[in-house]
PDB file of all heavy atoms in Angstrom:
ATOM      1  N   THR T  67      41.926 -75.399 -65.613  1.00 94.00           N
ATOM      2  CA  THR T  67      42.954 -74.768 -64.784  1.00 94.00           C
ATOM      3  C   THR T  67      42.991 -73.273 -65.078  1.00 94.00           C
ATOM      4  O   THR T  67      42.389 -72.796 -66.045  1.00 94.00           O
ATOM      5  CB  THR T  67      44.351 -75.363 -65.058  1.00 94.00           C
ATOM      6  OG1 THR T  67      44.772 -74.976 -66.383  1.00 94.00           O
ATOM      7  CG2 THR T  67      44.344 -76.875 -64.954  1.00 94.00           C
ATOM      8  N   LEU T  68      43.717 -72.540 -64.245  1.00 94.00           N
ATOM      9  CA  LEU T  68      43.811 -71.092 -64.396  1.00 94.00           C
ATOM     10  C   LEU T  68      44.263 -70.669 -65.779  1.00 94.00           C
ATOM     11  O   LEU T  68      43.821 -69.648 -66.312  1.00 94.00           O
ATOM     12  CB  LEU T  68      44.790 -70.525 -63.368  1.00 94.00           C
ATOM     13  CG  LEU T  68      44.290 -70.333 -61.945  1.00 94.00           C
ATOM     14  CD1 LEU T  68      45.451 -69.985 -61.028  1.00 94.00           C
ATOM     15  CD2 LEU T  68      43.223 -69.248 -61.892  1.00 94.00           C
ATOM     16  N   PHE T  69      45.164 -71.426 -66.375  1.00 95.00           N
ATOM     17  CA  PHE T  69      45.780 -71.014 -67.631  1.00 95.00           C
ATOM     18  C   PHE T  69      45.266 -71.788 -68.841  1.00 95.00           C
ATOM     19  O   PHE T  69      45.858 -71.732 -69.909  1.00 95.00           O
ATOM     20  CB  PHE T  69      47.304 -71.121 -67.520  1.00 95.00           C
ATOM     21  CG  PHE T  69      47.874 -70.191 -66.487  1.00 95.00           C
ATOM     22  CD1 PHE T  69      48.125 -70.641 -65.195  1.00 95.00           C
ATOM     23  CD2 PHE T  69      48.129 -68.863 -66.787  1.00 95.00           C
ATOM     24  CE1 PHE T  69      48.626 -69.777 -64.232  1.00 95.00           C
ATOM     25  CE2 PHE T  69      48.632 -67.995 -65.837  1.00 95.00           C
ATOM     26  CZ  PHE T  69      48.879 -68.450 -64.555  1.00 95.00           C
ATOM     27  N   THR T  70      44.156 -72.523 -68.656  1.00 94.00           N
ATOM     28  CA  THR T  70      43.581 -73.246 -69.792  1.00 94.00           C
ATOM     29  C   THR T  70      42.112 -72.927 -69.980  1.00 94.00           C
ATOM     30  O   THR T  70      41.432 -73.582 -70.783  1.00 94.00           O
ATOM     31  CB  THR T  70      43.755 -74.773 -69.619  1.00 94.00           C
ATOM     32  OG1 THR T  70      43.101 -75.185 -68.411  1.00 94.00           O
ATOM     33  CG2 THR T  70      45.217 -75.159 -69.582  1.00 94.00           C
ATOM     34  N   GLU T  71      41.603 -71.936 -69.258  1.00 92.00           N
ATOM     35  CA  GLU T  71      40.216 -71.507 -69.399  1.00 92.00           C
ATOM     36  C   GLU T  71      40.168 -70.163 -70.110  1.00 92.00           C
ATOM     37  O   GLU T  71      40.980 -69.276 -69.839  1.00 92.00           O
ATOM     38  CB  GLU T  71      39.539 -71.400 -68.027  1.00 92.00           C
ATOM     39  CG  GLU T  71      39.337 -72.726 -67.322  1.00 92.00           C
ATOM     40  CD  GLU T  71      38.289 -73.598 -68.003  1.00 92.00           C
ATOM     41  OE1 GLU T  71      37.400 -73.045 -68.678  1.00 92.00           O
ATOM     42  OE2 GLU T  71      38.359 -74.834 -67.852  1.00 92.00           O
ATOM     43  N   ARG T  72      39.207 -69.989 -70.988  1.00 90.00           N
ATOM     44  CA  ARG T  72      39.059 -68.733 -71.716  1.00 90.00           C
ATOM     45  C   ARG T  72      38.236 -67.715 -70.928  1.00 90.00           C
ATOM     46  O   ARG T  72      38.262 -66.521 -71.226  1.00 90.00           O
ATOM     47  CB  ARG T  72      38.408 -68.993 -73.075  1.00 90.00           C
ATOM     48  CG  ARG T  72      39.294 -69.786 -74.033  1.00 90.00           C
ATOM     49  CD  ARG T  72      40.148 -68.882 -74.898  1.00 90.00           C
ATOM     50  NE  ARG T  72      39.350 -68.163 -75.860  1.00 90.00           N
ATOM     51  CZ  ARG T  72      38.991 -68.637 -77.057  1.00 90.00           C
ATOM     52  NH1 ARG T  72      39.352 -69.853 -77.414  1.00 90.00           N
ATOM     53  NH2 ARG T  72      38.277 -67.907 -77.874  1.00 90.00           N
ATOM     54  N   VAL T  73      37.471 -68.188 -69.943  1.00 90.00           N
ATOM     55  CA  VAL T  73      36.680 -67.302 -69.085  1.00 90.00           C
ATOM     56  C   VAL T  73      37.017 -67.615 -67.627  1.00 90.00           C
ATOM     57  O   VAL T  73      36.971 -68.775 -67.211  1.00 90.00           O
ATOM     58  CB  VAL T  73      35.168 -67.477 -69.314  1.00 90.00           C
ATOM     59  CG1 VAL T  73      34.374 -66.655 -68.303  1.00 90.00           C
ATOM     60  CG2 VAL T  73      34.788 -67.073 -70.731  1.00 90.00           C
ATOM     61  N   LEU T  74      37.370 -66.577 -66.868  1.00 92.00           N
ATOM     62  CA  LEU T  74      37.646 -66.711 -65.447  1.00 92.00           C
ATOM     63  C   LEU T  74      36.809 -65.697 -64.683  1.00 92.00           C
ATOM     64  O   LEU T  74      36.686 -64.543 -65.092  1.00 92.00           O
ATOM     65  CB  LEU T  74      39.132 -66.475 -65.148  1.00 92.00           C
ATOM     66  CG  LEU T  74      40.123 -67.486 -65.721  1.00 92.00           C
ATOM     67  CD1 LEU T  74      41.556 -67.027 -65.458  1.00 92.00           C
ATOM     68  CD2 LEU T  74      39.902 -68.881 -65.124  1.00 92.00           C
ATOM     69  N   VAL T  75      36.238 -66.137 -63.565  1.00 89.00           N
ATOM     70  CA  VAL T  75      35.452 -65.261 -62.709  1.00 89.00           C
ATOM     71  C   VAL T  75      36.211 -65.080 -61.401  1.00 89.00           C
ATOM     72  O   VAL T  75      36.554 -66.055 -60.734  1.00 89.00           O
ATOM     73  CB  VAL T  75      34.053 -65.846 -62.436  1.00 89.00           C
ATOM     74  CG1 VAL T  75      33.239 -64.901 -61.563  1.00 89.00           C
ATOM     75  CG2 VAL T  75      33.331 -66.126 -63.741  1.00 89.00           C
ATOM     76  N   VAL T  76      36.485 -63.829 -61.053  1.00 89.00           N
ATOM     77  CA  VAL T  76      37.300 -63.501 -59.883  1.00 89.00           C
ATOM     78  C   VAL T  76      36.392 -62.860 -58.840  1.00 89.00           C
ATOM     79  O   VAL T  76      35.868 -61.764 -59.056  1.00 89.00           O
ATOM     80  CB  VAL T  76      38.439 -62.525 -60.256  1.00 89.00           C
ATOM     81  CG1 VAL T  76      39.367 -62.321 -59.072  1.00 89.00           C
ATOM     82  CG2 VAL T  76      39.196 -63.034 -61.471  1.00 89.00           C
ATOM     83  N   ASN T  77      36.193 -63.536 -57.715  1.00 86.00           N
ATOM     84  CA  ASN T  77      35.328 -63.025 -56.657  1.00 86.00           C
ATOM     85  C   ASN T  77      36.148 -62.747 -55.402  1.00 86.00           C
ATOM     86  O   ASN T  77      36.842 -63.637 -54.887  1.00 86.00           O
ATOM     87  CB  ASN T  77      34.221 -64.028 -56.325  1.00 86.00           C
ATOM     88  CG  ASN T  77      33.130 -64.042 -57.381  1.00 86.00           C
ATOM     89  OD1 ASN T  77      33.162 -63.263 -58.331  1.00 86.00           O
ATOM     90  ND2 ASN T  77      32.167 -64.927 -57.233  1.00 86.00           N
ATOM     91  N   GLN T  78      36.065 -61.528 -54.919  1.00 79.00           N
ATOM     92  CA  GLN T  78      36.799 -61.152 -53.724  1.00 79.00           C
ATOM     93  C   GLN T  78      36.019 -61.548 -52.486  1.00 79.00           C
ATOM     94  O   GLN T  78      34.796 -61.392 -52.431  1.00 79.00           O
ATOM     95  CB  GLN T  78      37.066 -59.651 -53.694  1.00 79.00           C
ATOM     96  CG  GLN T  78      37.920 -59.214 -52.501  1.00 79.00           C
ATOM     97  CD  GLN T  78      38.272 -57.745 -52.563  1.00 79.00           C
ATOM     98  OE1 GLN T  78      37.668 -56.991 -53.304  1.00 79.00           O
ATOM     99  NE2 GLN T  78      39.249 -57.339 -51.785  1.00 79.00           N
ATOM    100  N   LYS T  79      36.722 -62.045 -51.493  1.00 70.00           N
ATOM    101  CA  LYS T  79      36.089 -62.379 -50.217  1.00 70.00           C
ATOM    102  C   LYS T  79      35.676 -61.097 -49.522  1.00 70.00           C
ATOM    103  O   LYS T  79      36.486 -60.191 -49.324  1.00 70.00           O
ATOM    104  CB  LYS T  79      37.061 -63.170 -49.334  1.00 70.00           C
ATOM    105  CG  LYS T  79      36.446 -63.643 -48.026  1.00 70.00           C
ATOM    106  CD  LYS T  79      37.429 -64.508 -47.236  1.00 70.00           C
ATOM    107  CE  LYS T  79      36.807 -64.980 -45.933  1.00 70.00           C
ATOM    108  NZ  LYS T  79      37.752 -65.833 -45.146  1.00 70.00           N
ATOM    109  N   ALA T  80      34.411 -60.996 -49.156  1.00 57.00           N
ATOM    110  CA  ALA T  80      33.884 -59.767 -48.554  1.00 57.00           C
ATOM    111  C   ALA T  80      34.418 -59.587 -47.138  1.00 57.00           C
ATOM    112  O   ALA T  80      34.359 -60.498 -46.317  1.00 57.00           O
ATOM    113  CB  ALA T  80      32.360 -59.823 -48.532  1.00 57.00           C
ATOM    114  N   LYS T  81      34.967 -58.388 -46.883  1.00 48.00           N
ATOM    115  CA  LYS T  81      35.475 -58.055 -45.564  1.00 48.00           C
ATOM    116  C   LYS T  81      35.091 -56.614 -45.238  1.00 48.00           C
ATOM    117  O   LYS T  81      35.234 -55.731 -46.076  1.00 48.00           O
ATOM    118  CB  LYS T  81      37.003 -58.189 -45.512  1.00 48.00           C
ATOM    119  CG  LYS T  81      37.538 -59.570 -45.853  1.00 48.00           C
ATOM    120  CD  LYS T  81      39.051 -59.573 -45.864  1.00 48.00           C
ATOM    121  CE  LYS T  81      39.612 -60.919 -46.291  1.00 48.00           C
ATOM    122  NZ  LYS T  81      41.095 -60.911 -46.327  1.00 48.00           N
ATOM    123  N   LEU T  82      34.603 -56.398 -44.024  1.00 43.00           N
ATOM    124  CA  LEU T  82      34.266 -55.031 -43.626  1.00 43.00           C
ATOM    125  C   LEU T  82      35.521 -54.174 -43.548  1.00 43.00           C
ATOM    126  O   LEU T  82      35.527 -53.011 -43.932  1.00 43.00           O
ATOM    127  CB  LEU T  82      33.552 -55.038 -42.276  1.00 43.00           C
ATOM    128  CG  LEU T  82      32.092 -55.502 -42.291  1.00 43.00           C
ATOM    129  CD1 LEU T  82      31.561 -55.597 -40.871  1.00 43.00           C
ATOM    130  CD2 LEU T  82      31.235 -54.565 -43.119  1.00 43.00           C
ATOM    131  N   PHE T  83      36.605 -54.749 -43.041  1.00 44.00           N
ATOM    132  CA  PHE T  83      37.862 -54.024 -42.919  1.00 44.00           C
ATOM    133  C   PHE T  83      38.942 -54.852 -43.594  1.00 44.00           C
ATOM    134  O   PHE T  83      39.448 -55.820 -43.042  1.00 44.00           O
ATOM    135  CB  PHE T  83      38.214 -53.776 -41.440  1.00 44.00           C
ATOM    136  CG  PHE T  83      37.139 -53.045 -40.701  1.00 44.00           C
ATOM    137  CD1 PHE T  83      36.262 -53.730 -39.878  1.00 44.00           C
ATOM    138  CD2 PHE T  83      36.984 -51.682 -40.849  1.00 44.00           C
ATOM    139  CE1 PHE T  83      35.260 -53.061 -39.193  1.00 44.00           C
ATOM    140  CE2 PHE T  83      35.999 -50.998 -40.169  1.00 44.00           C
ATOM    141  CZ  PHE T  83      35.119 -51.690 -39.341  1.00 44.00           C
ATOM    142  N   GLU T  84      39.273 -54.459 -44.811  1.00 49.00           N
ATOM    143  CA  GLU T  84      40.204 -55.246 -45.607  1.00 49.00           C
ATOM    144  C   GLU T  84      41.643 -54.823 -45.327  1.00 49.00           C
ATOM    145  O   GLU T  84      42.026 -53.690 -45.548  1.00 49.00           O
ATOM    146  CB  GLU T  84      39.909 -55.053 -47.089  1.00 49.00           C
ATOM    147  CG  GLU T  84      40.879 -55.793 -48.002  1.00 49.00           C
ATOM    148  CD  GLU T  84      40.656 -55.420 -49.443  1.00 49.00           C
ATOM    149  OE1 GLU T  84      39.626 -55.805 -49.993  1.00 49.00           O
ATOM    150  OE2 GLU T  84      41.523 -54.726 -49.998  1.00 49.00           O
ATOM    151  N   LYS T  85      42.434 -55.757 -44.810  1.00 59.00           N
ATOM    152  CA  LYS T  85      43.860 -55.513 -44.626  1.00 59.00           C
ATOM    153  C   LYS T  85      44.666 -56.258 -45.681  1.00 59.00           C
ATOM    154  O   LYS T  85      45.649 -55.742 -46.192  1.00 59.00           O
ATOM    155  CB  LYS T  85      44.284 -55.939 -43.211  1.00 59.00           C
ATOM    156  CG  LYS T  85      43.718 -55.052 -42.112  1.00 59.00           C
ATOM    157  CD  LYS T  85      44.259 -55.445 -40.754  1.00 59.00           C
ATOM    158  CE  LYS T  85      43.730 -54.516 -39.667  1.00 59.00           C
ATOM    159  NZ  LYS T  85      44.247 -54.890 -38.319  1.00 59.00           N
ATOM    160  N   LYS T  86      44.246 -57.495 -45.975  1.00 69.00           N
ATOM    161  CA  LYS T  86      44.902 -58.269 -47.012  1.00 69.00           C
ATOM    162  C   LYS T  86      43.848 -58.837 -47.946  1.00 69.00           C
ATOM    163  O   LYS T  86      42.872 -59.444 -47.512  1.00 69.00           O
ATOM    164  CB  LYS T  86      45.733 -59.405 -46.400  1.00 69.00           C
ATOM    165  CG  LYS T  86      46.958 -58.905 -45.638  1.00 69.00           C
ATOM    166  CD  LYS T  86      47.865 -60.029 -45.228  1.00 69.00           C
ATOM    167  CE  LYS T  86      49.123 -59.490 -44.545  1.00 69.00           C
ATOM    168  NZ  LYS T  86      50.052 -60.575 -44.157  1.00 69.00           N
ATOM    169  N   ALA T  87      44.045 -58.604 -49.243  1.00 72.00           N
ATOM    170  CA  ALA T  87      43.063 -59.028 -50.227  1.00 72.00           C
ATOM    171  C   ALA T  87      43.074 -60.552 -50.372  1.00 72.00           C
ATOM    172  O   ALA T  87      44.106 -61.204 -50.239  1.00 72.00           O
ATOM    173  CB  ALA T  87      43.359 -58.378 -51.575  1.00 72.00           C
ATOM    174  N   GLU T  88      41.909 -61.104 -50.651  1.00 85.00           N
ATOM    175  CA  GLU T  88      41.777 -62.546 -50.867  1.00 85.00           C
ATOM    176  C   GLU T  88      40.687 -62.781 -51.908  1.00 85.00           C
ATOM    177  O   GLU T  88      39.586 -62.247 -51.789  1.00 85.00           O
ATOM    178  CB  GLU T  88      41.415 -63.240 -49.552  1.00 85.00           C
ATOM    179  CG  GLU T  88      41.368 -64.753 -49.645  1.00 85.00           C
ATOM    180  CD  GLU T  88      41.061 -65.401 -48.310  1.00 85.00           C
ATOM    181  OE1 GLU T  88      41.076 -64.691 -47.285  1.00 85.00           O
ATOM    182  OE2 GLU T  88      40.794 -66.619 -48.298  1.00 85.00           O
ATOM    183  N   TYR T  89      41.016 -63.566 -52.945  1.00 89.00           N
ATOM    184  CA  TYR T  89      40.089 -63.808 -54.042  1.00 89.00           C
ATOM    185  C   TYR T  89      39.987 -65.300 -54.316  1.00 89.00           C
ATOM    186  O   TYR T  89      40.938 -66.057 -54.098  1.00 89.00           O
ATOM    187  CB  TYR T  89      40.562 -63.132 -55.329  1.00 89.00           C
ATOM    188  CG  TYR T  89      40.678 -61.620 -55.256  1.00 89.00           C
ATOM    189  CD1 TYR T  89      41.782 -61.022 -54.666  1.00 89.00           C
ATOM    190  CD2 TYR T  89      39.681 -60.808 -55.803  1.00 89.00           C
ATOM    191  CE1 TYR T  89      41.894 -59.641 -54.605  1.00 89.00           C
ATOM    192  CE2 TYR T  89      39.796 -59.428 -55.752  1.00 89.00           C
ATOM    193  CZ  TYR T  89      40.893 -58.850 -55.146  1.00 89.00           C
ATOM    194  OH  TYR T  89      40.998 -57.485 -55.091  1.00 89.00           O
ATOM    195  N   THR T  90      38.831 -65.707 -54.828  1.00 92.00           N
ATOM    196  CA  THR T  90      38.641 -67.055 -55.350  1.00 92.00           C
ATOM    197  C   THR T  90      38.359 -66.939 -56.842  1.00 92.00           C
ATOM    198  O   THR T  90      37.651 -66.030 -57.275  1.00 92.00           O
ATOM    199  CB  THR T  90      37.468 -67.769 -54.658  1.00 92.00           C
ATOM    200  OG1 THR T  90      37.708 -67.796 -53.245  1.00 92.00           O
ATOM    201  CG2 THR T  90      37.335 -69.201 -55.161  1.00 92.00           C
ATOM    202  N   VAL T  91      38.926 -67.853 -57.633  1.00 94.00           N
ATOM    203  CA  VAL T  91      38.782 -67.807 -59.084  1.00 94.00           C
ATOM    204  C   VAL T  91      38.042 -69.059 -59.553  1.00 94.00           C
ATOM    205  O   VAL T  91      38.375 -70.178 -59.151  1.00 94.00           O
ATOM    206  CB  VAL T  91      40.154 -67.723 -59.781  1.00 94.00           C
ATOM    207  CG1 VAL T  91      39.977 -67.526 -61.283  1.00 94.00           C
ATOM    208  CG2 VAL T  91      40.987 -66.588 -59.190  1.00 94.00           C
ATOM    209  N   PHE T  92      37.022 -68.834 -60.407  1.00 92.00           N
ATOM    210  CA  PHE T  92      36.192 -69.915 -60.911  1.00 92.00           C
ATOM    211  C   PHE T  92      36.268 -69.965 -62.435  1.00 92.00           C
ATOM    212  O   PHE T  92      36.571 -68.965 -63.089  1.00 92.00           O
ATOM    213  CB  PHE T  92      34.724 -69.696 -60.513  1.00 92.00           C
ATOM    214  CG  PHE T  92      34.498 -69.599 -59.028  1.00 92.00           C
ATOM    215  CD1 PHE T  92      34.574 -68.374 -58.377  1.00 92.00           C
ATOM    216  CD2 PHE T  92      34.189 -70.724 -58.288  1.00 92.00           C
ATOM    217  CE1 PHE T  92      34.357 -68.272 -57.013  1.00 92.00           C
ATOM    218  CE2 PHE T  92      33.969 -70.639 -56.921  1.00 92.00           C
ATOM    219  CZ  PHE T  92      34.056 -69.403 -56.280  1.00 92.00           C
ATOM    220  N   ASP T  93      35.935 -71.128 -63.001  1.00 89.00           N
ATOM    221  CA  ASP T  93      35.799 -71.220 -64.451  1.00 89.00           C
ATOM    222  C   ASP T  93      34.371 -70.839 -64.842  1.00 89.00           C
ATOM    223  O   ASP T  93      33.560 -70.448 -63.999  1.00 89.00           O
ATOM    224  CB  ASP T  93      36.180 -72.614 -64.959  1.00 89.00           C
ATOM    225  CG  ASP T  93      35.228 -73.714 -64.491  1.00 89.00           C
ATOM    226  OD1 ASP T  93      34.146 -73.403 -63.942  1.00 89.00           O
ATOM    227  OD2 ASP T  93      35.559 -74.897 -64.688  1.00 89.00           O
ATOM    228  N   GLN T  94      34.038 -70.962 -66.121  1.00 85.00           N
ATOM    229  CA  GLN T  94      32.729 -70.525 -66.591  1.00 85.00           C
ATOM    230  C   GLN T  94      31.587 -71.391 -66.078  1.00 85.00           C
ATOM    231  O   GLN T  94      30.406 -70.994 -66.143  1.00 85.00           O
ATOM    232  CB  GLN T  94      32.694 -70.517 -68.121  1.00 85.00           C
ATOM    233  CG  GLN T  94      32.826 -71.893 -68.740  1.00 85.00           C
ATOM    234  CD  GLN T  94      32.598 -71.870 -70.240  1.00 85.00           C
ATOM    235  OE1 GLN T  94      31.979 -70.954 -70.750  1.00 85.00           O
ATOM    236  NE2 GLN T  94      33.107 -72.875 -70.939  1.00 85.00           N
ATOM    237  N   HIS T  95      31.909 -72.559 -65.529  1.00 84.00           N
ATOM    238  CA  HIS T  95      30.887 -73.452 -64.986  1.00 84.00           C
ATOM    239  C   HIS T  95      30.726 -73.278 -63.479  1.00 84.00           C
ATOM    240  O   HIS T  95      29.955 -73.996 -62.852  1.00 84.00           O
ATOM    241  CB  HIS T  95      31.231 -74.907 -65.308  1.00 84.00           C
ATOM    242  CG  HIS T  95      31.438 -75.159 -66.766  1.00 84.00           C
ATOM    243  ND1 HIS T  95      30.412 -75.081 -67.689  1.00 84.00           N
ATOM    244  CD2 HIS T  95      32.565 -75.452 -67.475  1.00 84.00           C
ATOM    245  CE1 HIS T  95      30.887 -75.326 -68.905  1.00 84.00           C
ATOM    246  NE2 HIS T  95      32.181 -75.550 -68.797  1.00 84.00           N
ATOM    247  N   GLY T  96      31.476 -72.320 -62.911  1.00 85.00           N
ATOM    248  CA  GLY T  96      31.376 -72.077 -61.480  1.00 85.00           C
ATOM    249  C   GLY T  96      32.224 -72.994 -60.633  1.00 85.00           C
ATOM    250  O   GLY T  96      32.047 -73.083 -59.413  1.00 85.00           O
ATOM    251  N   ARG T  97      33.186 -73.677 -61.253  1.00 89.00           N
ATOM    252  CA  ARG T  97      34.084 -74.553 -60.499  1.00 89.00           C
ATOM    253  C   ARG T  97      35.358 -73.803 -60.127  1.00 89.00           C
ATOM    254  O   ARG T  97      35.947 -73.118 -60.957  1.00 89.00           O
ATOM    255  CB  ARG T  97      34.416 -75.810 -61.316  1.00 89.00           C
ATOM    256  CG  ARG T  97      33.221 -76.719 -61.546  1.00 89.00           C
ATOM    257  CD  ARG T  97      33.646 -78.030 -62.171  1.00 89.00           C
ATOM    258  NE  ARG T  97      34.085 -77.866 -63.544  1.00 89.00           N
ATOM    259  CZ  ARG T  97      33.346 -78.117 -64.615  1.00 89.00           C
ATOM    260  NH1 ARG T  97      32.098 -78.536 -64.461  1.00 89.00           N
ATOM    261  NH2 ARG T  97      33.820 -77.959 -65.824  1.00 89.00           N
ATOM    262  N   ARG T  98      35.788 -73.966 -58.904  1.00 93.00           N
ATOM    263  CA  ARG T  98      36.979 -73.274 -58.411  1.00 93.00           C
ATOM    264  C   ARG T  98      38.226 -73.795 -59.109  1.00 93.00           C
ATOM    265  O   ARG T  98      38.467 -75.004 -59.146  1.00 93.00           O
ATOM    266  CB  ARG T  98      37.118 -73.459 -56.905  1.00 93.00           C
ATOM    267  CG  ARG T  98      38.271 -72.679 -56.280  1.00 93.00           C
ATOM    268  CD  ARG T  98      38.317 -72.911 -54.778  1.00 93.00           C
ATOM    269  NE  ARG T  98      39.406 -72.170 -54.165  1.00 93.00           N
ATOM    270  CZ  ARG T  98      40.664 -72.589 -54.099  1.00 93.00           C
ATOM    271  NH1 ARG T  98      40.971 -73.785 -54.601  1.00 93.00           N
ATOM    272  NH2 ARG T  98      41.600 -71.854 -53.538  1.00 93.00           N
ATOM    273  N   VAL T  99      39.021 -72.877 -59.679  1.00 95.00           N
ATOM    274  CA  VAL T  99      40.248 -73.275 -60.366  1.00 95.00           C
ATOM    275  C   VAL T  99      41.484 -72.612 -59.762  1.00 95.00           C
ATOM    276  O   VAL T  99      42.610 -72.896 -60.181  1.00 95.00           O
ATOM    277  CB  VAL T  99      40.180 -72.949 -61.877  1.00 95.00           C
ATOM    278  CG1 VAL T  99      39.124 -73.794 -62.561  1.00 95.00           C
ATOM    279  CG2 VAL T  99      39.926 -71.461 -62.115  1.00 95.00           C
ATOM    280  N   GLY T 100      41.295 -71.741 -58.782  1.00 96.00           N
ATOM    281  CA  GLY T 100      42.459 -71.101 -58.169  1.00 96.00           C
ATOM    282  C   GLY T 100      42.056 -69.986 -57.234  1.00 96.00           C
ATOM    283  O   GLY T 100      40.888 -69.857 -56.843  1.00 96.00           O
ATOM    284  N   GLY T 101      43.039 -69.181 -56.884  1.00 95.00           N
ATOM    285  CA  GLY T 101      42.783 -68.077 -55.973  1.00 95.00           C
ATOM    286  C   GLY T 101      43.943 -67.099 -55.953  1.00 95.00           C
ATOM    287  O   GLY T 101      44.973 -67.308 -56.608  1.00 95.00           O
ATOM    288  N   VAL T 102      43.759 -66.033 -55.214  1.00 93.00           N
ATOM    289  CA  VAL T 102      44.789 -65.010 -55.041  1.00 93.00           C
ATOM    290  C   VAL T 102      44.851 -64.660 -53.567  1.00 93.00           C
ATOM    291  O   VAL T 102      43.811 -64.486 -52.916  1.00 93.00           O
ATOM    292  CB  VAL T 102      44.463 -63.734 -55.851  1.00 93.00           C
ATOM    293  CG1 VAL T 102      45.583 -62.710 -55.695  1.00 93.00           C
ATOM    294  CG2 VAL T 102      44.249 -64.059 -57.317  1.00 93.00           C
ATOM    295  N   ARG T 103      46.052 -64.565 -53.024  1.00 90.00           N
ATOM    296  CA  ARG T 103      46.197 -64.186 -51.631  1.00 90.00           C
ATOM    297  C   ARG T 103      47.352 -63.208 -51.474  1.00 90.00           C
ATOM    298  O   ARG T 103      48.409 -63.364 -52.082  1.00 90.00           O
ATOM    299  CB  ARG T 103      46.428 -65.431 -50.771  1.00 90.00           C
ATOM    300  CG  ARG T 103      47.654 -66.256 -51.149  1.00 90.00           C
ATOM    301  CD  ARG T 103      47.624 -67.633 -50.516  1.00 90.00           C
ATOM    302  NE  ARG T 103      48.812 -68.417 -50.817  1.00 90.00           N
ATOM    303  CZ  ARG T 103      48.875 -69.740 -50.734  1.00 90.00           C
ATOM    304  NH1 ARG T 103      47.809 -70.431 -50.357  1.00 90.00           N
ATOM    305  NH2 ARG T 103      50.001 -70.381 -51.002  1.00 90.00           N
TER     306      ARG T 103
END
C-alpha cells in the first residue's frame, strides 16, 4: 500500500496541455498502489 512501501515510483500522465495534474504510483515491483488527482 501507499503507506507500507519503502520505495514508491510516481509517474505523471503525459499531456501536451496540462490543466490538471494526474499521477499513478507504483511499488518497487511495478504494481500500482495508488494515484494522485
Side-chain angles (χ1 to χ4, degrees):
T67 69
L68 280 171
F69 296 95
T70 59
E71 292 291 334
R72 292 269 290 275
V73 174
L74 295 174
V75 181
V76 186
N77 284 357
Q78 184 175 16
K79 184 176 180 180
K81 301 176 184 179
L82 285 174
F83 304 101
E84 177 188 290
K85 291 185 178 180
K86 291 189 176 181
E88 185 178 350
Y89 299 80
T90 303
V91 186
F92 302 89
D93 66 11
Q94 65 172 339
H95 305 292
R97 294 189 290 261
R98 185 179 180 276
V99 294
V102 182
R103 59 195 182 201

